[in-house]
Amino acid sequence: MPDMLSVVIITWNAGADLETCLDSVLEATTCRSAEIIVVDNGSTDGTGEILQSYDTRVKIIRLDRNYGVAYARNTGMKTAKGDYIWILDVDTVVNRDAVDGMLDYLENHPECGLCSCRLQSEGGDVQDSCRRLPYPVHKIRNLLSGETVRPVFPEKIRRHIEKQNEKQFYRKEISGREPFEADYVIGACQLFRKTVLDEVGYLDEKIFYGPEDADFCFRICRKGYKIICLPACHIVHRYNRISGKKIFSRMSLLHLKGLLYFYAKHHLLTSNPYNQSNHG
């Protein structure tokens, strides 16, 4: 019997993206054994009506309110029956080449604990989906390189920040074709074996929104596995970043709370994490 793939998608007031995402997943998995699990994280838009039209093809789990990314994804993964689990954001559009490429890599590389592919916009712009651990210095660079702050600095400083970001986001590697190892890949697209999940454990539900993806990848690395990106494959990611629109929004503050918890949990401000993982 061929290995089964479980696709876990969570949605929260994302009815505009849901139909496109589900149609692409159904098309990309037609030639393999797969189940699609959608966890509705307490949506109040038209998501419920859209899901009704998929109820014979998709397993639907409805939560009474927004319990956060980790809780919702865990809820979906706990019902998954697949040998492989694919965490996917609702604002993605996938294709068969990406699915097959990632599954083939995992099947042939037991040292790989989790893999992803290149994420790009509908216009083809490559996104910063592969990253170094979210240290404070990296977060500060992100703020300084933002569109509203960057023009304030002299050209020399802007070039220095951009050079550092090249390394932080593996931009040289993601522009190539060869698989490469990263500290973590964002939760918009993470594919892994169910046995790795059993070994590492579920997402940390104390993190409501970010960086549950970094925490999950870090724990996989500490078990001796590698986080791999396959830039030769790609999916479209519309990137509806709910924490980046307002600096002091509720979601941005929850993201900051999650970061502080992540630092404390892994002692990242008092020790070198690369002595604890398999990264040099």
Side-chain angles (χ1 to χ4, degrees), residues 4 15 49 57 74 91 94 126 166 171 177 200 219:
M4 183 177 179
E49 289 74 16
R57 295 171 289 170
N74 284 346
D91 56 354
V94 306
V126 179
E166 291 281 338
R171 287 175 180 163
R177 302 282 297 176
V200 172
R219 287 188 283 128

Side-chain angles (χ1 to χ4, degrees), residues 135-146 160-165 167-169:
Y135 257 72
V137 65
H138 294 148
K139 289 297 181 180
I140 291 172
R141 285 194 193 119
N142 292 346
L143 288 174
L144 296 181
S145 61
H160 174 74
I161 293 173
E162 183 60 26
K163 185 176 181 181
Q164 295 301 314
N165 280 343
K167 299 177 182 178
Q168 178 189 169
F169 295 118

